[in-house]
Amino acid sequence: MPAESSSSPFLVFGAPQIDEAEIDEVIACMRSGWLGTGPRVAQFEHDFAAWRRVQPSQVAAVNSCTAALHVSMVAAGIEPGGEVITTPLTFCATVNAILHAGLTPVLADVDPHTQNIDPAAIEAAITPRTRAILPVHFAGRPCAMDRIMAIAKKHRLVVIEDCAHAVETEFRGQPAGTFGDFGCYSFYVTKNVVTGEGGMIVGRREADVARARMLALHGMSKDAWHRFGDAGYKHYQVLECGFKYNMMDLQAAIGLHQLARVEPNWQRRRELWLRYDTAFAGLPIDLPAAPEADTRHGHHLYTVMIDPDRCGISRDAFLDAMNAARIGTGVHYLSIPEHPYYQQRFGWRPEQWPHAMRLGRQTVSLPLSPAMSDADAGRVIEAVLRIVGHSS
């Protein structure tokens, strides 16, 4: 098969599907004069609560999933220095949020099949200082929440779910993010629901969400909408030393229509996912494992494993070849202990978590977005077949 022409348009990894409805809503928001936290954020919270089958009082919109994780840990009231067990196969934000909350991250290796945190590894990592578990629903696949919640109940641990990849994900009919004390979602530009930047907290207890909401806006008792609305000025009091984590109406204006299309967008990503599965079935690469029975996979990241011994090409050489074909890819993720900061601060070495180390060194995420056309998917397939087929 011929190589891509250098004049081919670059296929951006994770490009969002933005329709006229979002554009019109943003324009209307700008014309309204209300750009900060206001009525569109409130509507987005209401719609998201309905989508995840919880009460509006159980959700709080923030400006990132990182902020959601941080605020949730503070709102949980975990004492400084308490240990939080999480996965080494995640974005740095997961571990950084633990550190920003004044807590200590502890890594538990992943199941090499699901690439999610292994409940047996969680159990083995528990110490008298363990206070919480922070599972990450990696690539849209739900963690084994039955086993994780049983461990949490046994040891009286807080559970904060990182649902950055998992807005549509369900485990045994229940939405991801509604098992633990908190669920934290991302609306970053590459995510399945997009606001540019943004996040959402879902909490089991309304009082915890109310505290998280307060902490997300300087610890104030009233947000700007209630202080400056047409009901008259409302005085506020600072109740805690909080943060500047609130979502803007400009962001929610995009999210309202993204959320309205979450189902057809999921269906489109699923179609592309299955097309990749079929096209790559005969290649010497590892494909994502099939979703487990009685779960709903979010189909967020389509990750393939490039083992140089099997493929005849290294993972990084594969990345370079895809880039030469004008196709964007991602690495999700180098394991956390590969990064110098954590090595220097904690003395971590990748070999301590061998499954995450191997996966992190072999993984490539291929383009997967409802914005992709059939022709875009064909380009990706052709390039992978040419690169791996030629190398093998």
Side-chain angles (χ1 to χ4, degrees), residues 56-79:
S57 56
Q58 291 178 265
V59 307
V62 291
N63 62 7
S64 70
C65 186
T66 309
L69 291 167
H70 182 194
V71 165
S72 293
M73 280 181 270
V74 176
I78 306 170
E79 72 272 18

Side-chain angles (χ1 to χ4, degrees), residues 191-348:
K191 296 302 192 289
N192 297 357
V193 170
V194 170
T195 62
E197 296 279 0
M200 189 76 75
I201 300 167
V202 170
R204 182 187 301 166
R205 292 173 292 274
E206 293 181 2
D208 288 346
V209 177
R211 186 182 179 203
R213 182 188 299 277
M214 175 188 63
L215 286 166
L217 191 61
H218 301 297
M220 297 192 307
S221 57
K222 299 287 182 182
D223 62 29
W225 188 22
H226 294 105
R227 285 187 286 136
F228 300 133
D230 57 11
Y233 185 86
K234 305 294 183 185
H235 289 282
Y236 68 88
Q237 294 180 315
V238 176
L239 304 180
E240 294 195 57
C241 182
F243 313 96
K244 187 66 170 70
Y245 285 165
N246 57 300
M247 177 182 279
M248 300 189 302
D249 267 26
L250 272 174
Q251 297 163 300
I254 304 171
L256 286 168
H257 298 279
Q258 287 277 305
L259 191 61
R261 294 199 312 275
V262 66
E263 282 298 314
N265 284 353
W266 177 83
Q267 290 285 358
R268 176 57 179 164
R269 289 197 318 278
R270 183 172 180 271
E271 290 172 7
L272 295 169
W273 186 288
L274 295 175
R275 186 174 173 187
Y276 284 165
D277 275 351
T278 300
F280 303 146
L283 295 180
I285 59 178
D286 290 332
L287 306 181
E292 289 81 9
D294 203 16
T295 68
R296 188 189 203 206
H297 199 301
H299 296 309
H300 176 58
L301 293 175
Y302 191 92
T303 55
V304 299
M305 298 296 131
I306 307 297
D307 182 342
D309 293 336
R310 292 178 59 201
C311 298
I313 186 173
S314 71
R315 188 274 306 279
D316 287 359
F318 179 88
L319 294 171
D320 290 341
M322 292 293 284
N323 188 69
R326 313 274 302 156
I327 295 172
T329 54
V331 173
H332 299 92
Y333 296 98
L334 282 176
S335 70
I336 289 294
E338 299 275 11
H339 297 286
Y341 174 77
Y342 308 110
Q343 293 179 1
Q344 294 162 11
R345 178 161 180 176
F346 299 109
W348 290 344

Side-chain angles (χ1 to χ4, degrees), residues 20-31 40 249-250 252-254 256-257:
E20 288 301 317
E22 287 97 319
I23 296 169
D24 291 344
E25 192 74 44
V26 168
I27 293 171
C29 179
M30 295 179 73
R31 286 178 171 155
R40 285 178 172 83
D249 267 26
L250 272 174
I254 304 171
L256 286 168
H257 298 279

